[in-house]
Amino acid sequence: MDNRNFTLLTDYYELTMMQGYFKNDVKEKAVFDVFYRRNPDDGGFAICAGLQHVIDYINNLHFSEDDIEYLRGLGDFDDDFLDYLSKFKFTGDLYAIPEGSVIFPREPLVKVVAPIMEAQLVETAILNLVNHQSLIATKAARVCYAAEGGAVMEFGLRRAQGPDAGTFGARAAVIGGCIGTSNVICAKEYDVPALGTHAHSWIMSFPDELTAFRKYAELYPGNTTLLVDTYDTLRSGLPHAIQVFEELRDKGAMPKMYGIRLDSGDLAYLSKKARKMLDEAGFTDAKICASSDLDEYLIDSLLAQGAMIDSWGVGTNMITSKDTPSFGGVYKLSAIAVDDDAASDSADKWEPKIKLSENPVKVTNPGNKTVFRIYDKDSGKIKADLIALAGETFDTTVDMMLFDPDATWKKTRLDAFSYEMKEILVPVFKNGQCIYESPSVMEIQAFCKKEIDTLWDESRRLINPQQVHVDLSDKLYDMKAELLEKYSSI
């Protein structure tokens, strides 16, 4: 983020509401939840990302003199409120599900507990940072799953919606499983592998294809991957690449890594032909990389056709999440402090709030909440997630009955000692101070891989996956039912 001041990365109404709270002396603490309602691409899960940038944003949150003068010039803000903004500092608490975690609809990904003016201001930026990166990390996880263990490289910078989307998106793609990125500034900022081969223009700038290949092999003897489709893949590109590899072999100068890249045509057919030609020439360890408007569905289809592709360069469709271009996360008020002792998790310290809607999926879950993940003890796989009130505890030595909060007759009994539980919403800020240390991107990637391994295969499939249940605790369900009854009679 280049230490830029993103305090004004907000919607105008956040500031007008803040002034309204200020003028009416509304200082109570509030709880706001970030959650989403539907998995991208109708998948069975999503991947949480963007927390590091949320931390950076809050740590740098302040109104500069220039910000204050700009707001003064708009004519909507009084001097006393602007004086308050000039001294503004975030003093609240923030909880989040760690980056790289598997997540599901309706559960809080981020929870802000702060004086309502502070909590209102941070809404837009948090949503911007978490929505975008979670979307791209999820897309990358799907692409990497489709690749069935083949390496996936993020190649999308030139097609991303601007520099920040290209850079933050590449970071998220690496979290989701990509082995590296073509985006050099991302590689530098987040210490991830920088990857790439060469363009068609390299071939076209030389008198002939063979010369271009030879020169490239001289320049990069450790990793020689040749783009073979500039003129004719099977009649020109492949034979010339093989000729260069033979020359290197004869000189005893074979690269550690070498192979070809296919960027057009029928990738299944061409890769099978290329594999046969390379193997017959004795280059059985040559790698075949493919690019060309790939996504998870095309990769899955190519492999089903027997494509002999070892690695994949994926650009536009991943960096833009082309078929599902938004994550849909929202930020909703769920509780207001009853008294000044709102640091307590006790339910009687918070007045629960609920948003109703004619659309049932938009009805919110009230109260100061947390999230527990329930695992099958034998397999380590996720059985369900449980949204509960903060401070609730559960005993895994007794049976647990889970039920669908919308279709309550759908129930699952978990036998005592057959399951384990872990609270996955963790403290990040306390009283305005960050108490959480973000792992490196590659550490988050390793964590993400372990998280994905906790999913059942049925929830990972690309089409019509089994949805993981997200249930409510009995106390939270009863609280919600009481509020629904209260407000539906108005």
Side-chain angles (χ1 to χ4, degrees):
M1 296 180 74
D2 298 329
N3 293 317
R4 284 178 288 171
N5 179 3
F6 278 86
T7 302
L8 294 188
L9 183 68
T10 191
D11 290 308
Y12 195 56
Y13 81 165
E14 311 288 17
L15 295 168
T16 56
M17 282 189 289
M18 285 180 73
Q19 179 166 249
Y21 294 136
F22 179 84
K23 291 293 189 179
N24 288 280
D25 200 30
V26 178
K27 299 178 180 178
E28 286 83 3
K29 281 191 175 182
V31 178
F32 283 83
D33 299 326
V34 174
F35 62 94
Y36 71 105
R37 299 186 177 107
R38 183 177 179 179
N39 288 320
D41 299 301
D42 292 324
F45 66 96
I47 300 295
C48 192
L51 177 58
Q52 176 59 63
H53 291 108
V54 171
I55 293 170
D56 292 342
Y57 159 71
I58 291 179
N59 277 333
N60 288 303
L61 194 58
H62 70 281
F63 289 85
S64 67
E65 290 184 14
D66 184 65
D67 294 337
I68 297 298
E69 289 310 306
Y70 169 74
L71 294 175
R72 193 186 310 278
L74 296 177
D76 286 336
F77 302 105
D78 295 341
D79 287 343
D80 55 350
F81 176 62
L82 293 173
D83 182 63
Y84 161 77
L85 291 184
S86 71
K87 304 179 182 69
F88 181 89
K89 184 181 184 303
F90 183 79
T91 64
D93 304 338
L94 185 144
Y95 301 79
I97 296 177
E99 288 192 274
S101 297
V102 167
I103 50 175
F104 307 108
R106 298 184 302 279
E107 60 193 20
L109 317 180
V110 178
K111 180 175 75 171
V112 176
V113 184
I116 194 164
M117 280 189 284
E118 298 177 23
Q120 198 74 70
L121 175 64
V122 301
E123 171 182 4
T124 304
I126 289 177
L127 286 175
N128 176 275
L129 295 166
V130 171
N131 274 335
H132 173 247
Q133 292 194 54
S134 297
L135 178 71
I136 306 305
T138 303
K139 188 67 169 179
R142 288 171 58 82
V143 171
C144 292
Y145 173 74
E148 297 181 358
V152 176
M153 299 167 283
E154 190 285 310
F155 280 179
L157 177 58
R158 62 188 61 190
R159 303 284 174 75
Q161 287 94 341
D164 283 347
T167 302
F168 292 177
R171 175 188 185 273
V174 173
I175 287 173
C178 292
I179 64 168
T181 177
S182 65
N183 183 334
V184 180
I185 194 169
C186 175
K188 173 179 178 288
E189 290 295 318
Y190 304 114
D191 193 24
V192 302
L195 303 170
T197 57
H198 61 78
H200 296 101
S201 57
W202 173 267
I203 308 297
M204 296 160 64
S205 66
F206 286 87
D208 58 78
E209 188 175 53
L210 183 58
T211 300
F213 284 172
R214 284 171 173 159
K215 292 296 184 182
Y216 191 82
E218 289 173 12
L219 282 169
Y220 303 105
N223 186 352
T224 305
T225 301
L226 304 174
L227 180 59
V228 296
D229 71 334
T230 303
Y231 301 120
D232 188 299
T233 300
L234 298 180
R235 294 182 183 180
S236 174
L238 253 299
H240 285 148
I242 289 171
Q243 183 175 340
V244 170
F245 297 152
E246 288 173 338
E247 292 170 359
L248 292 171
R249 182 173 60 190
D250 291 344
K251 291 189 294 187
M254 282 302 294
K256 237 185 210 184
M257 295 179 61
Y258 72 103
I260 63 164
R261 177 161 73 95
L262 303 169
D263 190 48
S264 60
D266 187 328
L267 297 178
Y269 172 77
L270 291 173
S271 67
K272 286 184 277 189
K273 287 290 188 180
R275 183 76 272 161
K276 185 173 185 294
M277 292 170 67
L278 288 165
D279 289 352
E280 287 176 349
F283 301 111
T284 57
D285 56 345
K287 301 299 183 184
I288 299 176
C289 172
S291 48
S292 183
D293 290 326
L294 298 169
D295 63 13
E296 65 267 44
Y297 302 108
L298 181 51
I299 291 173
D300 182 64
S301 177
L302 289 168
L303 290 176
Q305 297 168 56
M308 304 299 290
I309 296 170
D310 302 294
S311 62
W312 311 84
V314 186
T316 305
N317 293 327
M318 183 163 64
I319 199 66
T320 64
S321 188
K322 186 176 180 180
D323 42 3
T324 304
S326 65
F327 192 69
V330 296
Y331 186 92
K332 298 298 182 184
L333 176 68
S334 61
I336 295 284
V338 173
D339 58 37
D340 292 336
D341 188 25
S344 170
D345 283 335
S346 175
D348 61 3
K349 299 296 183 183
W350 297 96
E351 179 186 351
K353 299 290 182 178
I354 190 170
K355 176 191 177 296
L356 301 188
S357 172
E358 291 185 4
N359 185 347
V361 76
K362 290 192 172 184
V363 176
T364 61
N365 291 316
N368 181 19
K369 300 177 293 297
T370 190
V371 183
F372 289 91
R373 181 147 294 165
I374 305 173
Y375 300 90
D376 177 74
K377 197 168 186 178
D378 291 335
S379 66
K381 303 292 187 183
I382 298 172
K383 293 289 290 184
D385 276 6
L386 185 70
I387 308 175
L389 295 173
E392 281 196 76
T393 58
F394 300 90
D395 184 357
T396 59
T397 67
V398 299
D399 293 352
M400 172 178 279
M401 181 68 75
L402 298 175
F403 62 92
D404 186 315
D406 298 316
T408 55
W409 63 91
K410 296 181 179 179
K411 298 180 180 181
T412 299
R413 179 182 295 279
L414 302 180
D415 294 334
F417 301 103
S418 71
Y419 64 98
E420 296 176 334
M421 298 181 69
K422 179 177 76 172
E423 189 171 3
I424 60 173
L425 201 62
V426 301
V428 177
F429 279 84
K430 202 72 178 171
N431 299 322
Q433 298 298 312
C434 183
I435 58 173
Y436 179 87
E437 184 174 348
S438 287
S440 71
V441 171
M442 299 310 292
E443 288 171 334
I444 297 172
Q445 182 196 74
F447 171 72
C448 183
K449 183 179 184 303
K450 292 179 180 177
E451 280 282 288
I452 292 173
D453 285 344
T454 64
L455 290 165
W456 302 89
D457 290 341
E458 292 82 354
S459 294
R460 296 183 65 183
R461 61 180 176 241
L462 298 177
I463 299 173
N464 194 27
Q466 175 67 34
Q467 298 297 321
V468 174
H469 295 294
V470 178
D471 299 324
L472 307 183
S473 71
D474 290 342
K475 288 183 179 180
L476 177 55
Y477 179 83
D478 291 344
M479 174 187 285
K480 184 174 184 178
E482 183 179 335
L483 289 175
L484 287 172
E485 179 66 25
K486 173 182 176 181
Y487 289 111
S488 64
S489 61
I490 292 176

